[in-house]
Amino acid sequence: QVHLVESGGGLVQAGGSLRLSCLPSGVVFSITEMAWYREAPGKQRELVASITSDGTAGYVDSVRGRFTISREYREDTMSLQMNSLRPEDTAVYYCYAKTIMVSRVDDYWGQGTQVTVSS
């Protein structure tokens, strides 16, 4: 079992920056891939950025060049640095982790953190 806790959301003006953090606990050694998803009102949850255990990162086109995902292995945390924020980035952001133990694959989600970007 893995428990994920996000922090760092808030209200910011367009053009500003925020840094989200995700702190996993539990069987963290089983975590392979981690990611950030977001869900805006009336829209489906979408993948924003992902990072594998070897540090390979991927981004949705709308955030590439503005957001940076990273994993700090010593502190066992994952972060999302969000720069040049736009009103359309407003959403609840969720931390996600995939674990693999033997042949079992599980998905875990955090509780979400609200990001609001004012114009």
Side-chain angles (χ1 to χ4, degrees):
Q1 288 262 345
V2 170
H3 185 56
L4 304 171
V5 177
E6 302 104 333
S7 62
L11 172 65
V12 65
Q13 287 189 330
S17 299
L18 282 174
R19 185 178 182 87
L20 305 183
S21 294
C22 175
L23 177 65
S25 60
V27 192
V28 295
F29 67 86
S30 64
I31 294 175
T32 54
E33 179 179 336
M34 297 189 75
W36 289 97
Y37 284 74
R38 66 186 178 188
E39 188 170 332
K43 295 186 177 181
Q44 287 189 329
R45 188 173 297 188
E46 68 167 348
L47 175 64
V48 176
S50 64
I51 187 165
T52 62
S53 55
D54 66 0
T56 301
Y59 302 91
V60 67
D61 287 345
S62 61
V63 308
R64 189 174 290 112
R66 299 188 297 123
F67 291 10
T68 302
I69 190 171
S70 61
R71 284 185 72 174
E72 295 79 34
Y73 292 95
R74 187 168 57 184
E75 293 84 16
D76 253 345
T77 60
M78 178 185 66
S79 299
L80 184 69
Q81 178 65 41
M82 305 185 294
N83 299 327
S84 302
L85 282 161
R86 305 168 180 168
E88 53 264 40
D89 294 319
T90 295
V92 177
Y93 283 70
Y94 296 91
C95 176
Y96 162 85
K98 174 188 287 185
T99 64
I100 299 177
M101 289 192 68
V102 190
S103 59
R104 175 171 174 161
V105 179
D106 287 300
D107 300 318
Y108 293 93
W109 296 90
Q111 80 286 356
T113 184
Q114 177 70 47
V115 171
T116 303
V117 184
S118 63
S119 56

